[in-house]
Amino acid sequence: MSTPALRFLKQRNVPHRVETYEHLEKGARFAASALDYPIERTIKTLVVELCPGGYVLVLMPGHLQADLKALAASLKAKKAALADAATAERLTGYQVGGISPFGTKRRLPVYIEQSLADFSEVAINGGRRGTMLKMDPQDILKALGARTLELGRPE
């Protein structure tokens, strides 16, 4: 089994472990439960449109919502909104529920909720529904050239 995300990480020698589960529903909560992994360390990948500014990826812990007003303010945009499913799939090359920030069709800037950087390991989508990667968030930051921002608020 290979995905563009796994090829991206392999080419760059980024350490990770692949974990699979039976994908019965979309969402970080289900993935965390299926893997028996903490929801606050399970990442959801969001495709967000900034106006003006184009699209970005936002990596959030599964138990928090992205504060889109804070994101827009941090990035000096007038507003930020979640992309619709068709746009997210077109930009990333992945199905919703399996979107990974690695190996996307179009390279997009990546922002990670600050709290995720405090963990030694997180779970993030591997580019296919039911495939998660366990890895050090510092390796995610380096591999993607990502920036941390405080963006989380309770769901």
Side-chain angles (χ1 to χ4, degrees), residues 5 20 26 48 77 79 88 93 97 103-104 121 134 141 144 153 155:
T20 59
K26 290 185 297 219
V48 176
K79 70 177 197 166
T104 54
E121 181 187 79
K134 289 185 178 173
L141 284 161
L144 297 171
R153 59 185 173 123
E155 280 193 321

Side-chain angles (χ1 to χ4, degrees), residues 19-44 62 97-98 123-126 128-134:
E19 300 247 351
T20 59
Y21 63 95
E22 186 178 5
H23 183 273
L24 300 174
E25 69 182 70
K26 290 185 297 219
R29 284 201 185 280
F30 183 83
S33 175
L35 294 172
D36 194 25
Y37 201 72
I39 186 68
E40 61 275 359
R41 291 171 45 193
T42 303
I43 296 175
K44 54 188 173 187
I124 190 165
N125 206 291
R128 178 174 292 140
R129 292 175 177 170
T131 301
M132 296 293 280
L133 309 173
K134 289 185 178 173

